[in-house]
Amino acid sequence: MNADNNIAIYVTDDRDFDDDERMALCIYPAPNGDWYVSIAPERNKGRGGNSVRLCTSGGSAFSAPGLTIAISKAWESIRKGANQ
């Protein structure tokens, strides 16, 4: 599974920013079932260096129960809404 084909991108709806200042929320699944979440400038949206890895086995699964489920639902909502 290529994460680039499965990325969900939501660009801020705060229109007070110029086009080159808007940020995008990027969520994508890893092949092992983990999730990556990042914030990137809209012009550079996609996988970036400012990502957080959410492990589905251990890590966030124990320290923040339900977080990976919520992220997967957010990913699905963004993908459906944008027809990605």
Side-chain angles (χ1 to χ4, degrees):
M1 178 186 326
N2 183 340
D4 292 336
N5 294 332
N6 291 310
I7 194 165
I9 299 169
Y10 180 80
V11 178
T12 182
D13 52 6
D14 186 343
R15 301 301 175 214
D16 292 336
F17 291 104
D18 292 332
D19 288 347
D20 64 340
E21 295 177 324
R22 287 200 295 255
M23 301 297 281
L25 169 66
C26 308
I27 303 171
Y28 48 97
N32 65 357
D34 291 346
W35 289 94
Y36 286 86
V37 179
S38 64
I39 302 294
E42 180 181 13
R43 66 186 178 278
N44 295 341
K45 60 187 174 244
R47 298 189 300 166
N50 296 325
S51 296
V52 174
R53 179 181 177 182
L54 303 172
C55 298
T56 52
S57 60
S60 63
F62 292 112
S63 62
L67 179 59
T68 55
I69 293 168
I71 290 296
S72 70
K73 289 181 180 183
W75 175 85
E76 184 178 342
S77 294
I78 294 168
R79 299 275 297 185
K80 283 183 179 177
N83 294 318
Q84 295 182 11

